Amino acid sequence: MKIKTLSVCEVNNYIKKVLDNDFILNNLSVRGEISNLKYHTSGHIYFSLKDEFSKINCIMFKGNANNLDFLLKEGMSVIVSGRASVYTASGSFQLYCNSIEQEGVGNLHVKFEKLKEKLSREGYFNDEFKKPLPKNPYRVGIVTSETGAAICDLTNVIRRRNSKVDIVLYPAAVQGVNAYKTIIEGIKYFNKSKSVDVIIIGRGGGSIEELWNFNEEELAIEIFKSKLPIVSAVGHEIDFTISDFVADFRAATPSQAGEIVVPLESELNYNIDRCKEKLIAIIENKIYNEKSKLETLNKVLNLNSPSNKIANKYINIDNLKEKLNNIIYHKIKSNKEKIFSLNSILQAHNPINILGKGYAIIEGEDNRVLKSKESFIDKEDLLIKMQDGYVKGEFTLLEKGEI
């Protein structure tokens, strides 16, 4: 018997008809926890309904979504009524929801909130413990899956922004049981080797179960203990994990992490040029100021140099010499004038000069000057001093009236 060959579309359509004709699948009421929730701009609502062992993709079209009287949230436990079928374009099996009833908050969400509250109370989220990101990292360490979209996005963004930054990947499991332990190993490796300036941990988007490894307490503690700054980039912008709160910086997506960590090379070059210009201006100004100081000091040195001091002393000596000569000259002149004046007075009163008028000086043998006859000693040799010489002889005292 020859089997008929069908196209993919024919197979999907056949499965859809089988499912659509199944009474149970067309009248389902399913209990589960909401994850991977997305409100589309079209008004449709896309999400996954999961339990501990499995999940199913769901869609609620705009017409039914408008009848909801509450907002769906991640981790919310609900009861969904609808039908199960196949979307033939992609061959995906999904639940088409007619109505949703809120049953409560999901277990994973409760676990998440409890751990968040505990770590917050213990100070793991405090800003005082957040380490600053390096302004110009030379090497970036990334802990994520080597085959995931996150490493591709990060590599593209970093290479585009700055081709000189090195990227070091520590391949880790980001989904599955105990995957968080490989992320811890990556953080420990970079802290031990100190080969990078900053660490990025993360992965692409997914449901709360798929992102749950980033909600593990052990990983949060390791992030807190890290000596290197860590950026958490997990999922999409609406996704929040414990890693986001305890990390030094949270990026909404892996691509944003690359933009946050690595500055644009063009901006760095611009800043370098500005710093270069500023440095040149500072150096030129410094050289000018130091040159001015040197010129001033040179002038001071010249004014106070030993040779100038000696030359100035010579000038002072010459001035003092001239001043001393003037003083001596005027002193001599003054003394000459005084001597001349005294000589004139002396000459005027000199008894020798009187001798020219016929007078004489009589001296006794003992050189006494005889001023009267009472001074005369009889028969004494007398010395008579005249203008042009001396006469010596013995004289006799005459009485009054005798000649």
Side-chain angles (χ1 to χ4, degrees):
M1 179 179 175
K2 187 176 180 180
I3 300 175
K4 181 181 180 182
T5 301
L6 302 176
S7 66
V8 174
C9 182
E10 289 174 329
V11 172
N12 284 341
N13 284 329
Y14 178 78
I15 295 173
K16 178 177 172 59
K17 288 179 181 179
V18 172
L19 297 178
D20 289 344
N21 290 320
D22 187 283
F23 177 79
I24 295 176
L25 294 180
N26 277 274
N27 297 276
L28 287 174
S29 180
V30 185
R31 176 186 290 108
E33 186 177 313
I34 290 178
S35 66
N36 208 21
L37 175 67
K38 180 179 181 180
Y39 277 84
H40 198 273
T41 54
S42 63
H44 306 326
I45 303 175
Y46 297 90
F47 61 95
S48 296
L49 198 62
K50 64 175 185 63
D51 57 19
E52 187 178 355
F53 304 103
S54 187
K55 74 172 184 177
I56 183 173
N57 293 330
C58 303
I59 180 173
M60 186 177 222
F61 292 119
K62 180 179 179 180
N64 293 320
N66 289 336
N67 296 324
L68 286 176
D69 56 0
F70 62 94
L71 286 176
L72 301 180
K73 295 182 180 179
E74 288 284 338
M76 181 180 289
S77 184
V78 295
I79 298 175
V80 175
S81 298
R83 60 184 179 86
S85 185
V86 171
Y87 178 52
T88 55
S90 62
S92 59
F93 177 76
Q94 57 189 15
L95 185 63
Y96 294 85
C97 307
N98 297 324
S99 63
I100 301 176
E101 296 179 9
Q102 186 176 3
E103 188 176 47
V105 179
N107 292 332
L108 287 179
H109 186 72
V110 171
K111 186 177 178 181
F112 173 86
E113 291 297 333
K114 284 184 177 180
L115 180 58
K116 179 182 174 184
E117 182 181 354
K118 175 190 174 185
L119 295 178
S120 177
R121 187 171 59 253
E122 294 175 355
Y124 281 81
F125 305 156
N126 291 0
D127 290 338
E128 62 190 281
F129 299 120
K130 304 292 185 184
K131 294 175 285 296
L133 301 182
K135 291 184 178 179
N136 301 306
Y138 292 100
R139 183 171 291 175
V140 177
I142 301 176
V143 181
T144 190
S145 171
E146 59 185 331
T147 59
I151 186 61
C152 295
D153 293 342
L154 279 166
T155 302
N156 291 335
V157 171
I158 292 174
R159 287 282 178 264
R160 185 178 70 249
R161 292 179 68 82
N162 193 331
S163 59
K164 295 181 175 62
V165 174
D166 290 335
I167 300 173
V168 181
L169 171 66
Y170 186 94
V174 293
Q175 185 173 328
V177 179
N178 294 329
Y180 69 92
K181 292 184 178 180
T182 63
I183 302 172
I184 292 175
E185 290 171 1
I187 295 173
K188 287 182 176 179
Y189 169 79
F190 285 127
N191 273 273
K192 183 177 180 180
S193 65
K194 294 182 175 60
S195 58
V196 298
D197 303 302
V198 61
I199 302 172
I200 299 175
I201 63 171
R203 55 154 292 161
S207 64
I208 189 171
E209 309 82 22
E210 294 168 333
L211 304 181
W212 189 254
N213 278 282
F214 293 89
N215 292 322
E216 293 289 348
E217 185 174 2
E218 288 182 48
L219 176 58
I221 293 173
E222 194 62 38
I223 293 172
F224 184 81
K225 286 165 49 180
S226 174
K227 300 299 181 182
L228 295 172
I230 294 180
V231 176
S232 176
V234 182
H236 302 301
E237 189 170 354
I238 60 172
D239 297 321
F240 279 89
T241 63
I242 297 297
S243 296
D244 294 331
F245 294 107
V246 73
D248 299 296
F249 202 93
R250 184 246 177 187
T253 63
S255 296
Q256 189 187 65
E259 295 174 354
I260 291 170
V261 169
V262 178
L264 286 170
E265 188 173 351
S266 58
E267 290 182 0
L268 288 177
N269 292 334
Y270 174 75
N271 291 333
I272 289 172
D273 291 339
R274 288 195 63 186
C275 290
K276 181 180 178 181
E277 293 173 1
K278 188 176 181 180
L279 184 60
I280 291 173
I282 291 173
I283 292 173
E284 289 178 347
N285 187 55
K286 184 69 174 178
I287 292 173
Y288 175 80
N289 291 335
E290 294 301 320
K291 186 177 180 181
S292 299
K293 288 181 182 179
L294 186 61
E295 291 175 352
T296 302
L297 291 173
N298 189 49
K299 290 179 181 178
V300 174
L301 181 62
N302 290 334
L303 290 174
N304 296 278
S305 67
S307 59
N308 284 341
K309 284 192 174 184
I310 293 171
N312 291 334
K313 292 298 180 182
Y314 276 121
I315 294 172
N316 291 338
I317 290 172
D318 291 339
N319 291 335
L320 290 173
K321 182 179 179 181
E322 184 178 355
K323 186 177 181 180
L324 183 60
N325 288 337
N326 287 333
I327 292 172
I328 293 173
Y329 171 78
H330 289 294
K331 189 68 175 177
I332 292 173
K333 182 179 179 182
S334 176
N335 288 339
K336 277 184 176 181
E337 290 175 351
K338 286 182 181 180
I339 291 172
F340 181 79
S341 176
L342 292 172
N343 185 59
S344 297
I345 295 172
L346 182 62
Q347 291 299 324
H349 295 84
N350 189 353
I352 302 301
N353 292 337
I354 299 174
L355 299 179
K357 297 178 181 182
Y359 295 97
I361 298 173
I362 302 171
E363 297 179 356
E365 291 180 353
D366 53 1
N367 293 328
R368 71 184 186 279
V369 177
L370 302 180
K371 298 179 181 179
S372 65
K373 68 177 184 177
E374 285 79 10
S375 303
F376 181 76
I377 300 174
D378 191 29
K379 297 186 185 234
E380 179 183 18
D381 286 337
L382 300 176
L383 183 66
I384 300 172
K385 186 177 183 180
M386 293 176 286
Q387 182 182 14
D388 56 352
Y390 295 88
V391 175
K392 185 177 181 183
E394 182 178 322
F395 295 87
T396 304
L397 179 64
L398 296 177
E399 295 295 335
K400 186 176 181 182
E402 292 181 353
I403 299 180

Short mmCIF file of all heavy atoms in Angstrom, two decimals, residues 237-278:
data_model
loop_
_atom_site.label_atom_id
_atom_site.label_comp_id
_atom_site.label_asym_id
_atom_site.label_seq_id
_atom_site.Cartn_x
_atom_site.Cartn_y
_atom_site.Cartn_z
N GLU A 237 12.89 44.12 28.93
CA GLU A 237 12.76 45.27 29.83
C GLU A 237 11.77 45.01 30.96
O GLU A 237 11.92 45.50 32.07
CB GLU A 237 12.35 46.51 29.02
CG GLU A 237 12.39 47.80 29.83
CD GLU A 237 12.21 49.02 28.95
OE1 GLU A 237 12.18 48.89 27.72
OE2 GLU A 237 12.10 50.12 29.52
N ILE A 238 10.72 44.22 30.68
CA ILE A 238 9.70 43.98 31.70
C ILE A 238 10.10 42.88 32.67
O ILE A 238 9.44 42.67 33.69
CB ILE A 238 8.35 43.60 31.03
CG1 ILE A 238 8.51 42.32 30.19
CG2 ILE A 238 7.82 44.74 30.21
CD1 ILE A 238 7.21 41.78 29.67
N ASP A 239 11.18 42.16 32.37
CA ASP A 239 11.62 41.05 33.22
C ASP A 239 12.52 41.57 34.34
O ASP A 239 13.47 42.32 34.09
CB ASP A 239 12.39 40.01 32.41
CG ASP A 239 11.53 39.37 31.33
OD1 ASP A 239 10.35 39.11 31.62
OD2 ASP A 239 12.04 39.14 30.22
N PHE A 240 12.22 41.15 35.56
CA PHE A 240 13.06 41.50 36.72
C PHE A 240 13.41 40.21 37.45
O PHE A 240 12.55 39.35 37.68
CB PHE A 240 12.34 42.45 37.67
CG PHE A 240 12.39 43.88 37.22
CD1 PHE A 240 11.40 44.40 36.38
CD2 PHE A 240 13.43 44.72 37.63
CE1 PHE A 240 11.44 45.70 35.96
CE2 PHE A 240 13.48 46.04 37.21
CZ PHE A 240 12.48 46.54 36.38
N THR A 241 14.70 40.11 37.82
CA THR A 241 15.16 38.95 38.59
C THR A 241 15.90 39.44 39.83
O THR A 241 16.25 40.62 39.93
CB THR A 241 16.11 38.07 37.75
OG1 THR A 241 17.28 38.83 37.42
CG2 THR A 241 15.43 37.59 36.48
N ILE A 242 16.17 38.55 40.77
CA ILE A 242 16.92 38.89 41.97
C ILE A 242 18.31 39.41 41.59
O ILE A 242 18.84 40.32 42.23
CB ILE A 242 17.03 37.67 42.91
CG1 ILE A 242 15.64 37.23 43.39
CG2 ILE A 242 17.94 37.97 44.09
CD1 ILE A 242 14.90 38.27 44.22
N SER A 243 18.89 38.83 40.54
CA SER A 243 20.21 39.28 40.09
C SER A 243 20.21 40.76 39.73
O SER A 243 21.18 41.47 39.97
CB SER A 243 20.66 38.45 38.88
OG SER A 243 20.83 37.10 39.23
N ASP A 244 19.09 41.23 39.16
CA ASP A 244 18.99 42.63 38.78
C ASP A 244 19.09 43.54 40.00
O ASP A 244 19.71 44.62 39.95
CB ASP A 244 17.66 42.90 38.06
CG ASP A 244 17.58 42.18 36.73
OD1 ASP A 244 18.63 41.96 36.12
OD2 ASP A 244 16.46 41.85 36.30
N PHE A 245 18.49 43.14 41.10
CA PHE A 245 18.45 43.97 42.30
C PHE A 245 19.79 43.98 43.04
O PHE A 245 20.18 45.00 43.60
CB PHE A 245 17.34 43.50 43.24
CG PHE A 245 15.96 43.70 42.68
CD1 PHE A 245 15.22 42.61 42.23
CD2 PHE A 245 15.40 44.96 42.59
CE1 PHE A 245 13.95 42.77 41.71
CE2 PHE A 245 14.13 45.14 42.08
CZ PHE A 245 13.39 44.04 41.63
N VAL A 246 20.48 42.85 43.06
CA VAL A 246 21.71 42.76 43.84
C VAL A 246 22.94 43.19 43.03
O VAL A 246 23.96 43.57 43.62
CB VAL A 246 21.91 41.32 44.37
CG1 VAL A 246 22.32 40.38 43.27
CG2 VAL A 246 22.92 41.30 45.51
N ALA A 247 22.84 43.18 41.71
CA ALA A 247 23.98 43.57 40.87
C ALA A 247 24.28 45.06 41.04
O ALA A 247 23.45 45.84 41.53
CB ALA A 247 23.69 43.25 39.40
N ASP A 248 25.48 45.46 40.61
CA ASP A 248 25.87 46.86 40.72
C ASP A 248 25.10 47.73 39.73
O ASP A 248 24.92 48.93 39.97
CB ASP A 248 27.37 47.00 40.47
CG ASP A 248 28.18 46.22 41.50
OD1 ASP A 248 28.12 46.58 42.68
OD2 ASP A 248 28.84 45.24 41.10
N PHE A 249 24.64 47.12 38.64
CA PHE A 249 23.83 47.87 37.66
C PHE A 249 22.94 46.88 36.92
O PHE A 249 23.35 45.76 36.62
CB PHE A 249 24.74 48.60 36.66
CG PHE A 249 24.06 49.75 35.99
CD1 PHE A 249 24.17 51.03 36.50
CD2 PHE A 249 23.29 49.55 34.84
CE1 PHE A 249 23.53 52.09 35.87
CE2 PHE A 249 22.67 50.60 34.22
CZ PHE A 249 22.78 51.88 34.73
N ARG A 250 21.71 47.31 36.65
CA ARG A 250 20.76 46.47 35.93
C ARG A 250 20.54 47.03 34.53
O ARG A 250 20.24 48.22 34.36
CB ARG A 250 19.42 46.42 36.68
CG ARG A 250 18.40 45.47 36.04
CD ARG A 250 17.21 46.19 35.49
NE ARG A 250 16.28 45.29 34.81
CZ ARG A 250 15.22 45.68 34.12
NH1 ARG A 250 14.93 46.96 34.02
NH2 ARG A 250 14.44 44.79 33.52
N ALA A 251 20.72 46.18 33.52
CA ALA A 251 20.42 46.55 32.15
C ALA A 251 19.13 45.86 31.73
O ALA A 251 18.89 44.70 32.06
CB ALA A 251 21.57 46.15 31.22
N ALA A 252 18.28 46.59 31.00
CA ALA A 252 16.98 46.03 30.61
C ALA A 252 17.13 44.84 29.67
O ALA A 252 16.34 43.90 29.71
CB ALA A 252 16.14 47.11 29.96
N THR A 253 18.19 44.88 28.83
CA THR A 253 18.45 43.80 27.87
C THR A 253 19.96 43.60 27.75
O THR A 253 20.73 44.48 28.13
CB THR A 253 17.88 44.15 26.48
OG1 THR A 253 18.58 45.31 25.99
CG2 THR A 253 16.39 44.44 26.54
N PRO A 254 20.41 42.49 27.21
CA PRO A 254 21.85 42.30 26.97
C PRO A 254 22.44 43.39 26.08
O PRO A 254 23.55 43.86 26.32
CB PRO A 254 21.91 40.93 26.30
CG PRO A 254 20.73 40.19 26.87
CD PRO A 254 19.65 41.24 26.98
N SER A 255 21.69 43.81 25.07
CA SER A 255 22.19 44.87 24.18
C SER A 255 22.42 46.16 24.96
O SER A 255 23.42 46.86 24.76
CB SER A 255 21.20 45.11 23.04
OG SER A 255 21.08 43.97 22.22
N GLN A 256 21.48 46.48 25.85
CA GLN A 256 21.64 47.70 26.65
C GLN A 256 22.84 47.59 27.57
O GLN A 256 23.52 48.58 27.84
CB GLN A 256 20.38 47.98 27.47
CG GLN A 256 20.41 49.35 28.15
CD GLN A 256 19.26 49.55 29.09
OE1 GLN A 256 19.15 48.87 30.10
NE2 GLN A 256 18.39 50.51 28.77
N ALA A 257 23.14 46.39 28.04
CA ALA A 257 24.32 46.18 28.89
C ALA A 257 25.59 46.57 28.14
O ALA A 257 26.48 47.21 28.70
CB ALA A 257 24.39 44.73 29.35
N GLY A 258 25.67 46.17 26.87
CA GLY A 258 26.82 46.55 26.06
C GLY A 258 26.94 48.05 25.91
O GLY A 258 28.03 48.63 25.95
N GLU A 259 25.81 48.73 25.74
CA GLU A 259 25.81 50.18 25.59
C GLU A 259 26.20 50.88 26.89
O GLU A 259 26.86 51.92 26.88
CB GLU A 259 24.43 50.67 25.14
CG GLU A 259 24.06 50.18 23.74
CD GLU A 259 22.63 50.54 23.37
OE1 GLU A 259 21.92 51.06 24.25
OE2 GLU A 259 22.23 50.29 22.21
N ILE A 260 25.79 50.29 28.01
CA ILE A 260 26.09 50.90 29.32
C ILE A 260 27.56 50.73 29.67
O ILE A 260 28.21 51.67 30.14
CB ILE A 260 25.21 50.27 30.41
CG1 ILE A 260 23.74 50.67 30.21
CG2 ILE A 260 25.68 50.68 31.81
CD1 ILE A 260 22.79 49.89 31.09
N VAL A 261 28.10 49.55 29.42
CA VAL A 261 29.45 49.23 29.87
C VAL A 261 30.52 49.84 28.97
O VAL A 261 31.56 50.31 29.46
CB VAL A 261 29.63 47.69 29.95
CG1 VAL A 261 31.09 47.32 30.16
CG2 VAL A 261 28.77 47.13 31.07
N VAL A 262 30.30 49.85 27.66
CA VAL A 262 31.34 50.25 26.72
C VAL A 262 31.01 51.62 26.11
O VAL A 262 29.98 51.77 25.45
CB VAL A 262 31.50 49.20 25.60
CG1 VAL A 262 32.56 49.64 24.59
CG2 VAL A 262 31.85 47.85 26.20
N PRO A 263 31.85 52.62 26.31
CA PRO A 263 31.62 53.93 25.71
C PRO A 263 31.93 53.92 24.21
O PRO A 263 32.67 53.05 23.73
CB PRO A 263 32.59 54.84 26.46
CG PRO A 263 33.71 53.92 26.87
CD PRO A 263 33.08 52.59 27.13
N LEU A 264 31.37 54.87 23.50
CA LEU A 264 31.64 54.98 22.07
C LEU A 264 33.09 55.36 21.83
O LEU A 264 33.62 56.27 22.49
CB LEU A 264 30.72 56.02 21.43
CG LEU A 264 29.25 55.61 21.23
CD1 LEU A 264 28.42 56.81 20.82
CD2 LEU A 264 29.14 54.51 20.19
N GLU A 265 33.72 54.68 20.89
CA GLU A 265 35.12 54.97 20.58
C GLU A 265 35.29 56.40 20.08
O GLU A 265 36.26 57.08 20.38
CB GLU A 265 35.63 53.97 19.53
CG GLU A 265 37.12 54.05 19.27
CD GLU A 265 37.60 52.94 18.35
OE1 GLU A 265 36.80 52.03 18.06
OE2 GLU A 265 38.77 52.98 17.95
N SER A 266 34.30 56.89 19.30
CA SER A 266 34.38 58.26 18.78
C SER A 266 34.34 59.28 19.92
O SER A 266 35.04 60.29 19.89
CB SER A 266 33.22 58.52 17.81
OG SER A 266 31.97 58.30 18.46
N GLU A 267 33.52 58.99 20.95
CA GLU A 267 33.46 59.89 22.09
C GLU A 267 34.77 59.88 22.87
O GLU A 267 35.25 60.92 23.34
CB GLU A 267 32.30 59.50 23.01
CG GLU A 267 30.92 59.78 22.43
CD GLU A 267 29.81 59.41 23.40
OE1 GLU A 267 30.11 58.94 24.51
OE2 GLU A 267 28.63 59.60 23.03
N LEU A 268 35.35 58.68 23.01
CA LEU A 268 36.64 58.59 23.69
C LEU A 268 37.72 59.38 22.94
O LEU A 268 38.50 60.11 23.55
CB LEU A 268 37.06 57.12 23.80
CG LEU A 268 36.29 56.25 24.79
CD1 LEU A 268 36.78 54.81 24.72
CD2 LEU A 268 36.45 56.77 26.21
N ASN A 269 37.74 59.23 21.60
CA ASN A 269 38.72 59.96 20.80
C ASN A 269 38.51 61.47 20.92
O ASN A 269 39.48 62.24 21.00
CB ASN A 269 38.64 59.54 19.34
CG ASN A 269 39.11 58.10 19.13
OD1 ASN A 269 39.91 57.59 19.90
ND2 ASN A 269 38.60 57.45 18.10
N TYR A 270 37.24 61.88 20.94
CA TYR A 270 36.93 63.31 21.10
C TYR A 270 37.42 63.82 22.46
O TYR A 270 38.04 64.88 22.56
CB TYR A 270 35.42 63.53 20.95
CG TYR A 270 34.98 64.94 21.24
CD1 TYR A 270 35.21 65.97 20.34
CD2 TYR A 270 34.32 65.24 22.44
CE1 TYR A 270 34.81 67.26 20.61
CE2 TYR A 270 33.91 66.53 22.72
CZ TYR A 270 34.16 67.54 21.80
OH TYR A 270 33.76 68.83 22.09
N ASN A 271 37.13 63.03 23.50
CA ASN A 271 37.57 63.42 24.85
C ASN A 271 39.09 63.44 24.95
O ASN A 271 39.66 64.31 25.62
CB ASN A 271 36.98 62.48 25.89
CG ASN A 271 35.47 62.63 26.04
OD1 ASN A 271 34.92 63.70 25.78
ND2 ASN A 271 34.80 61.57 26.44
N ILE A 272 39.73 62.46 24.28
CA ILE A 272 41.20 62.43 24.29
C ILE A 272 41.76 63.68 23.63
O ILE A 272 42.71 64.30 24.12
CB ILE A 272 41.71 61.16 23.60
CG1 ILE A 272 41.42 59.93 24.47
CG2 ILE A 272 43.21 61.25 23.32
CD1 ILE A 272 41.71 58.62 23.78
N ASP A 273 41.16 64.06 22.47
CA ASP A 273 41.62 65.27 21.77
C ASP A 273 41.43 66.51 22.64
O ASP A 273 42.30 67.40 22.67
CB ASP A 273 40.86 65.43 20.45
CG ASP A 273 41.24 64.37 19.43
OD1 ASP A 273 42.34 63.79 19.59
OD2 ASP A 273 40.45 64.10 18.50
N ARG A 274 40.28 66.58 23.32
CA ARG A 274 40.03 67.73 24.19
C ARG A 274 41.03 67.76 25.35
O ARG A 274 41.55 68.82 25.70
CB ARG A 274 38.62 67.68 24.75
CG ARG A 274 37.54 67.98 23.71
CD ARG A 274 36.20 68.27 24.39
NE ARG A 274 36.29 69.45 25.24
CZ ARG A 274 35.31 69.85 26.04
NH1 ARG A 274 34.19 69.16 26.10
NH2 ARG A 274 35.45 70.92 26.77
N CYS A 275 41.28 66.59 25.92
CA CYS A 275 42.26 66.51 27.02
C CYS A 275 43.66 66.88 26.52
O CYS A 275 44.42 67.54 27.23
CB CYS A 275 42.27 65.11 27.61
SG CYS A 275 40.78 64.69 28.56
N LYS A 276 43.96 66.44 25.28
CA LYS A 276 45.26 66.77 24.70
C LYS A 276 45.42 68.28 24.53
O LYS A 276 46.46 68.86 24.90
CB LYS A 276 45.41 66.05 23.35
CG LYS A 276 46.73 66.30 22.67
CD LYS A 276 46.79 65.56 21.34
CE LYS A 276 48.10 65.85 20.61
NZ LYS A 276 48.15 65.16 19.29
N GLU A 277 44.37 68.91 23.97
CA GLU A 277 44.41 70.37 23.79
C GLU A 277 44.54 71.08 25.13
O GLU A 277 45.30 72.05 25.27
CB GLU A 277 43.15 70.83 23.06
CG GLU A 277 43.06 70.35 21.62
CD GLU A 277 41.72 70.67 20.98
OE1 GLU A 277 40.88 71.28 21.68
OE2 GLU A 277 41.52 70.33 19.80
N LYS A 278 43.76 70.60 26.11
CA LYS A 278 43.81 71.21 27.44
C LYS A 278 45.18 71.03 28.07
O LYS A 278 45.72 71.96 28.69
CB LYS A 278 42.73 70.59 28.32
CG LYS A 278 42.55 71.28 29.66
CD LYS A 278 41.39 70.67 30.43
CE LYS A 278 41.21 71.38 31.77
NZ LYS A 278 40.06 70.78 32.55
#
